[in-house]
Amino acid sequence: MKSQNIDSTNKLGIYEKAINNKFSWEDKIIITAKAGFKFIELSIDESDSRLQRLDWKKEKIEELKDLLKSHNVEINSICLSAHRRFPFGSHDMVVRNKAREIMTKALEFAKTLGVTVIQLAGYDVYYEESDNETVENFVQGIIWSVQEAKKYNIILAFEIMDTPFMGTISKAMKYVNQINSPLLKIYPDLGNISQWTDSLEEEFEIGKNHIVGLHFKDTKPGIFKCVPFGQGTVDFPRLLTIISNIKYIGPILIEMWSENNTSETSEENILELSKAKSFYLDQWKRVK
């Protein structure tokens, strides 16, 4: 079934890290708009600089909202990958408590910003050895997080990840079904899942009623970041055909990374983003 008017039914966004980090927020928003994207996915990763965003005053968040409105751009979701460094599954209670602190601040931040989806990194642990204890700690941490999310009416969504722990939709759905909350969903990454299974049609059928967003990214075996579009092994026409067949309508995010070259101009950054969008649209033309 060939998709119709896909660009109008699925809002297309860009990952914040695709834009050179040297630019101000206003410049990032202008670059996003000029490259033809409708939203940015804001990153709160494990770095100290991005973790500090969780301590922004309300006035600073309101300033960002005003900038977004003035350029007709949105922040649709937050990529909260800080739990890679401070995971819910950690053997260390101090780390687990930090994970909860980050979650609470992220929910407050999202509510003030007006964001309704926080993407969670699907790791029980990343820098530690995984075992039964870390898995149980992870589950308890997510149960607690969902209860907290109810206070803000914000959806938490597992990203399909770059490690086997949650590398497929079926693995993520194990925890979604176990916790059984309307506020716990999934956010598949097309590049990641392509490296963990060839049963793509079955995987998306399993999770089709729980998808709140999709990452459009190229990957190759063992390499999950910074693979230029068209140089990886992801079968985009097949995946987009699957998305069309399950009648997915929702945000799609192009995930890529800027090299953060200090000499790069905004025009050069816009060109890179525009090339990625053209690649994306070309793949939809190949949908069967």
Side-chain angles (χ1 to χ4, degrees):
M1 178 182 72
K2 191 170 180 65
S3 175
Q4 300 295 322
N5 301 319
I6 194 66
D7 191 40
S8 62
T9 56
N10 290 293
K11 187 180 292 185
L12 184 64
I14 192 71
Y15 189 36
E16 181 196 342
K17 289 185 179 180
I19 305 169
N20 196 311
N21 201 42
K22 75 173 187 177
F23 293 120
S24 68
W25 262 110
E26 184 168 19
D27 288 337
K28 288 181 179 182
I29 292 165
I30 291 170
I31 288 168
T32 297
K34 287 187 175 180
F37 293 94
K38 297 179 180 179
F39 72 92
I40 305 173
E41 184 166 87
L42 184 145
S43 167
I44 298 177
D45 63 18
E46 60 188 290
S47 67
D48 290 337
S49 60
R50 282 196 162 93
L51 278 169
Q52 286 174 0
R53 292 175 171 182
L54 296 177
D55 294 317
W56 281 1
K57 301 297 184 183
K58 183 177 180 180
E59 293 75 16
K60 186 166 184 176
I61 298 174
E62 292 297 332
E63 287 176 8
L64 177 57
K65 289 168 69 174
D66 289 341
L67 287 172
L68 291 162
K69 184 177 181 180
S70 67
H71 296 288
N72 197 28
V73 173
E74 299 174 353
I75 292 179
N76 235 35
S77 52
I78 293 172
C79 178
L80 182 63
S81 55
H83 287 124
R84 176 165 151 161
R85 177 178 169 191
F86 301 103
F88 285 113
S90 178
H91 295 96
D92 187 339
M93 183 178 291
V94 173
V95 174
R96 297 198 302 274
N97 288 339
K98 181 66 174 181
R100 294 192 179 205
E101 176 190 328
I102 289 169
M103 190 75 255
T104 297
K105 287 184 175 183
L107 288 165
E108 293 170 350
F109 180 91
K111 190 67 175 181
T112 305
L113 188 57
V115 171
T116 57
V117 174
I118 295 177
Q119 179 196 137
L120 300 179
Y123 303 121
D124 59 337
V125 288
Y126 189 82
Y127 298 110
E128 301 176 42
E129 288 292 325
S130 178
D131 55 30
N132 290 338
E133 180 184 343
T134 62
V135 173
E136 179 58 25
N137 289 343
F138 170 77
V139 170
Q140 293 306 312
I142 299 301
I143 290 172
W144 174 88
S145 297
V146 169
Q147 291 300 315
E148 290 297 297
K150 289 179 180 178
K151 300 175 184 178
Y152 303 88
N153 197 28
I154 290 175
I155 292 170
L156 306 180
F158 288 131
E159 183 182 5
I160 304 307
M161 300 306 297
D162 54 354
T163 64
F165 180 77
M166 203 173 283
T168 62
I169 290 172
S170 54
K171 288 183 176 181
M173 286 303 300
K174 171 185 174 182
Y175 299 103
V176 171
N177 290 331
Q178 178 181 348
I179 295 168
N180 190 28
S181 168
L183 293 181
L184 186 60
K185 300 295 183 180
I186 59 172
Y187 199 134
D189 183 304
L190 304 186
N192 290 347
I193 193 172
S194 295
Q195 300 307 327
W196 297 117
T197 181
D198 191 49
S199 301
L200 296 170
E201 287 80 5
E202 293 87 344
E203 284 290 319
F204 278 88
E205 185 65 28
I206 288 169
K208 66 181 181 181
N209 295 322
H210 297 271
I211 299 173
V212 296
L214 294 167
H215 276 176
F216 183 92
K217 180 183 76 179
D218 214 347
T219 55
K220 58 178 67 174
I223 304 176
F224 294 88
K225 289 181 62 175
C226 302
V227 177
F229 286 112
Q231 296 184 28
T233 60
V234 177
D235 187 344
F236 289 112
R238 178 186 175 191
L239 282 159
L240 297 180
T241 298
I242 294 169
I243 291 166
S244 180
N245 287 342
I246 65 172
K247 297 182 173 59
Y248 171 75
I249 296 178
I252 296 177
L253 178 92
I254 291 182
E255 186 173 15
M256 53 190 286
W257 289 264
S258 169
E259 294 182 358
N260 292 323
N261 186 331
T262 55
S263 65
E264 183 180 36
T265 65
S266 60
E267 289 76 15
E268 289 170 331
N269 207 156
I270 290 167
L271 180 60
E272 289 302 309
L273 302 192
S274 299
K275 287 179 180 178
K277 183 179 179 182
S278 295
F279 179 87
Y280 165 84
L281 293 174
D282 183 62
Q283 299 311 299
W284 274 110
K285 294 175 184 176
R286 301 166 189 257
V287 169
K288 298 176 182 179

